Amino acid sequence: MSLGLAETEDLKARNKALVEEVLKVYPDKTAKRRAKHLGVYQDGKPDCGVKSNIKSIPGVMTIRGCAYAGSKGVVWGPIKDMVHISHGPVGCGQYSWGSRRNYYVGTTGIDSFGTMQFTSDFQENDIVFGGDKKLAKLMDEVQELFPLNKGLSVQSECPIGLIGDDIEAVSKKKSKEYGGKPIVPVRCEGFRGVSQSLGHHIANDAVRDWVFDKAEGKPARFDATEYDIAILADYNIGGDAWASRILLEEMGLRVVAQWSGDGTIAELEATPRAKLNVLHCYRSMNYVARHMEEKYGVPWVEYNFFGPTKIVESLRKIAAQFDDKIKENAEKVIAKYQPLMDAVIAKYRPRLEGKKVMLYVGGLRPRHVIGAYEDLGMEVVGTGYEFAHNDDYQRTTHYIKDGTLVYDDVTAYELEKFVEAIKPDLVGSGIKEKYVFQKMGIPFRQMHSWDYSGPYHGYDGFAIFARDMDMAINSPVWNLTKAPF
Amino acid sequence: MVQNAENVVDHFQLFRGPEYREMFKNKRDKFENGTPEEEVNRVAEWTKTVEYQEKNFAREALTVNPAKACQPLGAVFAAVGFEGTLPFVHGSQGCVAYYRSHFSRHFKEPTSAVSSSMTEDAAVFGGLTNMVDGLANAYNMYKPKMIAVSTTCMAEVIGDDLNAFIKTSREKGSIPQDYDVTFAHTPAFVGSHITGYDNTMKGVVEYFWGGKAGLAPKLERTPNNSINFFGGFDGYTVGNLREIKRIFDLIGAEYTIIGDNSDVWDTPADGEFRMYDGGTKLEDVAKAVNAKATISMQEFSTEKTLDYIKTWGQETVALNHPLGVAGTDKFLQEVSRLTGKPIPDALKKERGRLVDAIADSHNHIHGKKFAIYGDPDLCLGLAAFLLELGAEPTTILSTNGGKTWEKKVRELLASSPFGKDCEVYAGKDLWHLRSLLFTRPVDFLIGNTYGKYLERDTGTPLIRIGFPIFDRHHLHRYPVWGYQGALNVLVWILDKVFSEMDAHSNVAGKTDISYDIIR
């Protein structure tokens, strides 16, 4: 579907004009700042020509979240056998309670705590007098009422850092009292950084300082094998990590840990002994992957399990880190699933061929899912990230076509105007955007939560992805938008 | 392989396949350092005991699964009820992403709100620049008729002064001098979302009546015959406010719904996205000062607002989420008394139809035990209706209810023989309720979506009434107020009752003696 040169130039001109157009609404100072985040990809450039990971502008309706969302909501929350305390007022824990669909196996409230909301529910007195005493008491209560927990984490909300609480001291003291149980203080106050992204980083650093460092010298729970790998940065949304793990195991590798969807503290502790870390969401866990490489010599590779093309590439890339047996097995796995993939594509591609997609997601999927759309004959014409850094935009160049519209930390206004002008056949973004575009008569899929479907990763997931995109685009409802009178 | 192209299976069936089951087992056995199954079972059984309940209720610092949210959520709820109004939350930006998501998951509708995106530097120097820039940007981009400012806990901890900041923003030209910006401090560490609703509504009313924060002279009140109406924080606001307007119109009342968000959370899918729709006209908010009286459907959502309105010499009537026959009777009688207009025959007929429906069905509800949880006023309304149906409220719990609320509930319970075995819990959470459902089992539970965890753990069938409802669609489009609304609630309760009957009598040759086609 590559465009001719003239068409590409037209496209670039149109997209540049679009960017100019949306900037007109802003006061000058804001327009200058926003201009840096909106661009048109030029083939051959090392990045997408947009600035990123910069503070959002007040009042523009950014779609971004905060550091707490990155730490509790993304990285730590899914560790199922720990109790994660939303430390501060009631809201943050409430709004991030159970909504990310990080699936896990376990008895909730007994040995697993993923879909629970533990909070210190700060009152005015806690702000005035500090919350450390309350936190210490709260930890005792957790121990008593949830005796099978394997550890605690303290997820700081805004006030904690502002009132000068010492959650590290409380955590250390209590960990000692409970015989060395992991208790992890995380300084992920929402005002830190510019988006969820710093929250991921802070959460990664907390694993380094409070899990790895404390676990050194602990005996291993199992004998290592040469095929031990860990899945990093798959949050098991709708079961994604499971649909990935099954393929890695089928090719003869042994997955000793999943981070963090369906994960456990034991798996975190075991990971520095793995032979390879495979990293799905680069943005949220490259920090700890780099740390393990530097400190424990564990190499890491990025992989992409969206759609058969990328799955095949990734299986071979991972297998290349191992011996011939694994390489052969990888080919067997690829061959085994080929008929399923052929059948899925035969069924859905004719219904989706040539359809245009605009994406706006978090830190990985704006590039990672492009291959899956292309496997179905669809084309991504615009994409952007909530919280990517420049290295993400560099990686994006390997996925997008010349002339693609790129928007970083897009505002609700910009995205609406871009979609109005480009009229894609599908928009893939989040819950806050979903209903806006559906009202405009544009098919939509949530690309954070899979619109309550999933998994989308792996071969099993691609079949579901294809089914869902067809469901979105070819629903008869879109023919009803305009009244006949 | 479970997956196949002809019949694509997703998470519901996929992970029940043998390959995945084996994978889970292997993961658990080798890598999770999990607790042995018998120990998990032992602890699970222990959590059902009275002993565990005592420990659970001895908690002082820990809150688990609360049924409340924080103030600014209520602020946003209130703010979108005014014509062309953009909620502007001063503080960290993640909060606003959360409020927008939370409402969109409940209403299945867009929710527009902006943040002043304060970060570390604002924590040190205060958020004045964020306010100045933020108001300018929001005003230029989204062209609101009004901006309603509230705060997150971050802004409250550092002590930003909204009134002063907004004044400075005017001086710096962010917004025109006479442009309407209402404001309310809504600290998340005080009260809950209903407190935020209250503070915001008081902020709006005080702004328009009390001289627009110094921009205009204070209004003079010339009493007339109209009445003002507040719905309070209400997950059914779309259906409810429309029903209230219908009832007022039938009565022929002159009225102002203050904070009418029934249209903005129910816009059509016709090719256009409406960021703003409907809402109380700003001039009508000002005119509302002349009303004879103000009625609030939810006392605990409007305590400060009504206190302020009283200072203007208006009569105020605070109801507790009237639900059912007597509740609606009282509401209509108050409206009739205040407006001097009789209750029309059409409404009397609706009342009769509701009574007829209750008479038809009461035998399926009579004597059944119910646990209820939710916002304080909602609990009161539901409890009154259950008593009316001959059901027995057994446990009533409100995480954001206080002592005053508890006393009110006890008074209500004392008014009916069906209320004599009921326990009332203010300030407790859903983990407390879990214990109670084990130690004092009930037949049905009424609450929001989070109640499904209780349904799973305790086997108590959940009837979803409350906020938020994420896992059922469109309930908010139906009223629960008025006689029609009570009928909806009756049907929701009955549907669950009948489903349970069938579920317990549908095994061929075993339990299907009672599998009747007529109930």
Side-chain angles (χ1 to χ4, degrees):
Chain A
M1 260 183 326
S2 67
L3 298 171
L5 197 60
E7 283 168 311
T8 305
E9 288 314 306
D10 285 352
L11 177 72
K12 285 180 184 172
R14 182 207 64 181
N15 284 347
K16 281 179 182 149
L18 261 179
V19 169
E20 292 304 313
E21 189 55 36
V22 301
L23 290 171
K24 284 180 186 163
V25 76
Y26 293 109
D28 289 351
K29 181 168 117 179
T30 307
K32 269 201 199 81
R33 286 174 65 185
R34 281 306 303 156
K36 297 181 181 135
H37 297 265
L38 306 173
V40 181
Y41 174 57
Q42 301 281 356
D43 230 354
K45 287 270 161 70
D47 60 26
C48 302
V50 295
K51 289 262 183 263
S52 58
N53 198 33
I54 293 170
K55 262 197 291 190
S56 301
I57 299 166
V60 299
M61 216 178 314
T62 173
I63 292 156
R64 283 173 167 178
C66 63
Y68 166 90
S71 176
K72 187 269 183 178
V74 175
V75 174
W76 278 104
I79 302 291
K80 64 183 176 180
D81 58 353
M82 292 175 77
V83 166
H84 307 289
I85 301 151
S86 293
H87 191 37
V90 70
C92 319
Q94 206 69 6
Y95 309 128
S96 57
W97 177 12
S99 51
R100 212 166 175 254
R101 305 184 61 239
N102 315 101
Y103 283 4
Y104 60 91
V105 179
T107 310
T108 303
I110 310 301
D111 70 343
S112 304
F113 311 97
T115 48
M116 293 176 73
Q117 204 305 53
F118 296 88
T119 176
S120 44
D121 187 14
F122 261 38
Q123 301 301 302
E124 198 141 24
N125 270 348
D126 301 313
I127 301 286
V128 176
F129 300 110
D132 285 344
K133 276 203 180 74
K134 187 177 200 174
L135 180 63
K137 191 172 183 37
L138 180 154
M139 287 180 180
D140 292 342
E141 290 169 354
V142 168
Q143 281 301 97
E144 171 135 68
L145 292 168
F146 305 96
L148 301 186
N149 81 75
K150 293 284 198 322
L152 282 69
S153 82
V154 182
Q155 304 291 329
S156 302
E157 299 169 11
C158 285
I160 304 305
L162 298 170
I163 61 178
D165 274 10
D166 190 351
I167 59 172
E168 290 79 7
V170 177
S171 301
K172 275 183 196 154
K173 181 169 168 280
K174 285 293 163 186
S175 173
K176 210 168 175 174
E177 268 179 47
Y178 310 146
K181 175 179 289 238
I183 300 186
V184 183
V186 191
R187 290 275 177 185
C188 55
E189 289 91 344
F191 62 81
R192 294 189 196 277
V194 305
S195 68
Q196 292 93 315
S197 186
L198 189 66
H200 306 144
H201 197 153
I202 291 166
N204 278 224
D205 289 352
V207 175
R208 179 192 67 201
D209 299 344
W210 296 85
V211 179
F212 290 169
D213 290 1
K214 307 249 179 241
E216 279 176 15
K218 276 194 193 174
R221 286 202 176 83
F222 50 81
D223 294 330
T225 74
E226 61 190 301
Y227 300 129
D228 289 358
I229 67 164
I231 294 175
L232 258 52
D234 187 326
Y235 301 104
N236 207 34
I237 290 162
D240 282 338
W242 293 332
S244 304
R245 182 189 187 106
I246 204 160
L247 301 179
L248 297 168
E249 289 186 348
E250 277 186 56
M251 63 194 258
L253 297 170
R254 189 169 81 149
V255 181
V256 301
Q258 264 181 235
W259 294 48
S260 57
D262 194 41
T264 56
I265 183 80
E267 290 167 75
L268 295 189
E269 289 175 345
T271 305
R273 296 192 179 91
K275 297 292 179 297
L276 178 73
N277 282 323
V278 296
L279 181 63
H280 206 252
C281 176
Y282 168 84
R283 181 69 273 135
S284 59
M285 279 195 188
N286 74 89
Y287 319 98
V288 79
R290 290 173 201 279
H291 170 71
M292 280 189 265
E293 183 176 45
E294 282 168 27
K295 187 162 179 183
Y296 306 105
V298 186
W300 54 282
V301 294
E302 291 172 61
Y303 71 110
N304 179 345
F305 268 10
F306 286 107
T309 302
K310 290 295 167 189
I311 296 172
V312 168
E313 261 178 46
S314 297
L315 287 172
R316 287 179 178 148
K317 186 175 173 185
I318 293 166
Q321 311 290 317
F322 294 94
D323 58 16
D324 286 350
K325 186 182 100 178
I326 301 295
K327 288 179 192 141
E328 282 159 29
N329 285 350
E331 295 307 320
K332 281 183 196 154
V333 172
I334 292 165
K336 174 187 163 183
Y337 287 93
Q338 196 60 50
L340 173 68
M341 290 300 99
D342 292 345
V344 168
I345 289 169
K347 182 175 177 180
Y348 291 106
R349 185 162 179 146
R351 303 172 58 79
L352 297 167
E353 190 80 54
K355 300 290 185 189
K356 290 182 165 41
V357 187
M358 286 176 74
L359 297 169
Y360 183 71
V361 211
L364 174 82
R365 292 163 182 163
R367 67 176 177 275
H368 247 48
V369 300
I370 291 174
Y373 282 113
E374 289 175 348
D375 285 336
L376 294 168
M378 298 164 79
E379 185 189 6
V380 174
V381 296
T383 194
Y385 297 84
E386 277 179 48
F387 49 80
H389 300 204
N390 196 43
D391 51 1
D392 296 296
Y393 283 106
Q394 288 168 354
R395 284 164 169 74
T396 308
T397 61
H398 305 300
Y399 286 90
I400 57 178
K401 291 194 172 70
D402 198 19
T404 303
L405 182 66
V406 179
Y407 27 83
D408 177 72
D409 184 23
V410 82
T411 67
Y413 174 87
E414 291 160 3
L415 190 58
E416 198 192 317
K417 292 296 164 210
F418 289 154
V419 169
E420 253 172 25
I422 294 173
K423 295 190 179 59
D425 301 291
L426 179 72
V427 174
S429 188
I431 184 71
K432 301 190 292 296
E433 297 69 57
K434 178 182 175 76
Y435 303 107
V436 170
F437 296 116
Q438 291 189 172
K439 286 182 193 296
M440 287 159 70
I442 293 170
F444 187 98
R445 284 299 294 194
Q446 287 186 63
M447 294 304 286
H448 297 270
S449 67
W450 305 150
D451 243 314
Y452 323 115
S453 174
Y456 281 179
H457 294 179
Y459 287 119
D460 283 341
F462 179 69
I464 302 162
F465 174 85
R467 179 199 69 178
D468 289 355
M469 296 311 139
D470 173 47
M471 199 191 299
I473 287 179
N474 294 308
S475 165
V477 71
W478 311 118
N479 304 326
L480 304 173
T481 301
K482 286 288 174 215
F485 45 83
Chain B
M1 202 191 305
V2 183
Q3 190 61 287
N4 81 75
E6 280 323 296
N7 178 28
V8 173
V9 296
D10 57 24
H11 56 88
F12 284 98
Q13 292 132 307
L14 188 65
F15 300 124
R16 293 176 191 195
E19 309 94 325
Y20 281 103
R21 294 222 160 265
E22 192 188 338
M23 187 182 89
F24 295 154
K25 188 179 180 309
N26 183 51
K27 178 176 188 290
R28 186 177 169 80
D29 291 349
K30 293 198 175 100
F31 307 112
E32 292 189 351
N33 185 33
T35 306
E37 200 177 346
E38 42 296 357
E39 177 63 359
V40 172
N41 292 338
R42 187 193 66 77
V43 171
E45 286 307 309
W46 173 64
T47 65
K48 301 175 183 176
T49 62
V50 173
E51 179 206 355
Y52 186 86
Q53 181 175 310
E54 281 165 5
K55 287 183 194 291
N56 190 4
F57 272 74
R59 270 191 278 142
E60 288 173 355
L62 173 68
T63 299
V64 186
N65 297 357
K68 67 172 181 183
C70 68
Q71 275 209 54
L73 185 83
V76 170
F77 180 97
V80 300
F82 296 92
E83 183 192 24
T85 295
L86 182 66
F88 180 110
V89 190
H90 183 56
S92 302
Q93 72 190 16
C95 315
V96 170
Y98 277 144
Y99 315 141
R100 295 179 65 211
S101 301
H102 210 64
F103 283 130
S104 288
R105 287 173 180 142
H106 174 83
F107 291 110
K108 316 297 178 198
E109 293 284 325
T111 304
S112 300
V114 298
S115 164
S116 63
S117 296
M118 286 164 66
T119 51
E120 289 102 329
D121 53 346
V124 177
F125 303 110
L128 177 60
T129 312
N130 299 69
M131 177 74 77
V132 171
D133 292 351
L135 287 176
N137 288 324
Y139 175 79
N140 280 289
M141 291 174 73
Y142 298 112
K143 315 262 182 301
K145 277 199 160 66
M146 168 176 126
I147 293 174
V149 179
S150 56
T151 49
T152 76
C153 56
M154 179 209 183
E156 288 299 325
V157 171
I158 64 177
D160 280 359
D161 179 348
L162 292 181
N163 192 11
F165 282 17
I166 294 163
K167 278 200 173 97
T168 306
S169 303
R170 288 185 200 282
E171 285 156 18
K172 289 183 181 278
S174 296
I175 41 173
Q177 272 297 348
D178 59 349
Y179 179 75
D180 291 322
V181 180
T182 65
F183 56 92
H185 288 270
T186 50
F189 43 83
V190 176
S192 70
H193 54 285
I194 60 175
T195 323
Y197 175 97
D198 194 8
N199 283 328
T200 300
M201 281 303 183
K202 176 175 179 272
V204 172
V205 171
E206 192 169 3
Y207 174 86
F208 282 102
W209 298 3
K212 297 196 171 185
L215 292 177
K218 201 173 158 184
L219 297 180
E220 298 282 326
R221 179 167 179 257
T222 317
N224 61 26
N225 246 344
S226 73
I227 47 173
N228 301 325
F229 178 94
F230 287 103
F233 190 102
D234 171 27
Y236 297 81
T237 190
V238 171
N240 271 343
L241 291 183
R242 287 182 185 162
E243 181 66 6
I244 292 298
K245 287 185 266 191
R246 189 184 70 89
I247 290 170
F248 281 159
D249 289 341
L250 277 171
I251 293 171
E254 290 170 59
Y255 63 94
T256 307
I257 309 267
I258 303 183
D260 180 357
N261 48 22
S262 61
D263 285 342
V264 76
W265 272 322
D266 191 18
T267 62
D270 59 359
E272 180 198 346
F273 162 55
R274 296 160 177 80
M275 184 183 267
Y276 312 108
D277 199 15
T280 311
K281 291 197 163 30
L282 306 188
E283 59 268 29
D284 290 348
V285 183
K287 284 182 200 155
V289 73
N290 301 320
K292 183 177 181 187
T294 294
I295 299 179
S296 164
M297 249 2 203
Q298 298 194 68
E299 177 187 7
F300 296 101
S301 271
T302 50
E303 289 169 299
K304 291 176 191 160
T305 308
L306 294 189
D307 282 349
Y308 176 75
I309 289 173
K310 275 188 201 125
T311 65
W312 284 80
Q314 271 191 36
E315 185 185 347
T316 62
V317 176
L319 302 169
N320 298 106
H321 198 290
L323 205 165
V325 183
T328 307
D329 289 350
K330 187 182 171 194
F331 167 62
L332 294 179
Q333 286 167 310
E334 288 289 349
V335 176
S336 174
R337 176 180 68 80
L338 292 167
T339 57
K341 293 179 188 278
I343 298 165
D345 285 348
L347 285 169
K348 282 188 190 145
K349 226 172 176 176
E350 284 180 27
R351 182 185 191 277
R353 289 178 188 136
L354 171 63
V355 174
D356 183 55
I358 293 171
D360 295 344
S361 314
H362 76 277
N363 49 324
H364 291 296
I365 298 177
H366 190 104
K368 297 268 193 308
K369 291 183 178 357
F370 283 76
I372 309 169
Y373 73 88
D375 282 346
D377 289 294
L378 176 65
C379 284
L380 278 158
L382 282 167
F385 189 42
L386 288 176
L387 293 172
E388 224 166 45
L389 297 170
E392 294 175 17
T394 307
T395 306
I396 301 176
L397 179 144
S398 181
T399 307
N400 49 348
K403 284 196 166 52
T404 319
W405 169 79
E406 198 177 321
K407 191 164 157 284
K408 274 213 150 155
V409 181
R410 291 194 195 286
E411 280 165 14
L412 171 69
L413 293 164
S415 71
S416 161
F418 293 91
K420 67 180 191 317
D421 290 329
C422 189
E423 301 285 345
V424 186
Y425 300 92
K428 297 297 177 199
D429 57 41
L430 300 189
W431 197 255
H432 293 116
L433 185 53
R434 185 178 183 270
S435 276
L436 295 168
L437 292 174
F438 282 126
T439 59
R440 297 180 77 238
V442 296
D443 299 304
F444 294 95
L445 168 67
I446 300 183
N448 62 13
T449 280
Y450 300 116
K452 79 189 296 177
Y453 297 133
L454 295 166
E455 182 175 43
R456 175 194 59 197
D457 291 3
T458 70
T460 317
L462 170 69
I463 296 155
R464 285 170 178 76
I465 302 172
F467 176 89
I469 308 275
F470 291 156
D471 63 340
R472 295 293 184 273
H473 289 207
H474 308 309
L475 295 179
H476 67 271
R477 297 171 188 272
Y478 295 85
V480 302
W481 292 338
Y483 301 122
Q484 296 294 94
L487 191 59
N488 290 330
V489 175
L490 177 68
V491 170
W492 295 337
I493 294 172
L494 285 168
D495 277 350
K496 195 72 182 185
V497 171
F498 293 134
S499 297
E500 284 298 303
M501 280 181 190
D502 286 346
H504 287 101
S505 62
N506 63 358
V507 182
K510 294 266 194 294
T511 63
D512 64 345
I513 294 165
S514 316
Y515 199 57
D516 290 346
I517 59 159
I518 311 164
R519 299 260 192 222

